[in-house]
Amino acid sequence: MKRCAWSLAVLLVLAVSRASDVSDDEYADSEKGHIIAHKYVVAALEPQLSYPIIVQGRNCTVEVVLHNTGSSTAFDVVLVDVLPAGAQLLDGSLSVTFPKISSGSAAKHRYTMLFTSGGSLEVTYLPQGTVTYKADADGSQQTGLTSRSGLFLLTPVQQITRYALYAGTWASLGICRTPGHWRNMAIFLGLVFGLLGANVGVKQFGASRSNTLRKAALQEFEKVAGKSD
């Protein structure tokens, strides 16, 4: 019985010791800075779309917001971003350094670029940048990535087509919303006007034939009348 009680006492001491170690580690982690980088294209977002629309050849601004969600100041915060394929930098820099970002605060960085090529009706995702920082004044370096941001990259022709579809949607009272709808409408109207044209042609041919027969009958009548005189 005494041996059992002694064993329980030892197990209890070990459990308390382990709990103390875990709480110390959690406390140490909670006293560090933690940077979350949110990257996006600064553009008006249309209600029906999840991503902004960017037109090839036009300037666009990229913003990266660095949030320190930890409970300690982050030091030597370095952002190194990457341009997407087919884009060139116009203004600003792809890298920036912040000496420190306090807990609960944020720092912003912007640059301007334009797409010289590309364009599709699918979502184009920007490459993720890299963020390095020290979680505390004496801590080791931490590394993270910016958020994954998307956009619709259109060529100027695609943008004009898009505006034309918007105008067509209003003009057709919402019946034609896509190029497929307009194609089907064009086929339908072509068939209708084709049938109407054929009907008019048949009527004109009938009228012309009737006039020809009438003229022939009048000429024959005049001949008969001339002989009788």
Side-chain angles (χ1 to χ4, degrees), residues 20 27 46 70 82 93 101 106 113 115 139 155 162 167 205 213 215:
S20 176
Y27 177 79
E46 299 185 15
V82 183
S93 173
I101 300 178
M113 68 176 186
F115 286 92
T155 64
R162 178 170 166 269
F205 176 78
L213 294 175
K215 289 181 180 180

Side-chain angles (χ1 to χ4, degrees), residues 194-216:
L195 292 174
L196 291 175
N199 185 43
V200 171
V202 170
K203 288 183 178 181
Q204 289 180 347
F205 176 78
S208 177
R209 183 174 177 79
S210 297
N211 290 333
T212 302
L213 294 175
R214 188 180 298 109
K215 289 181 180 180

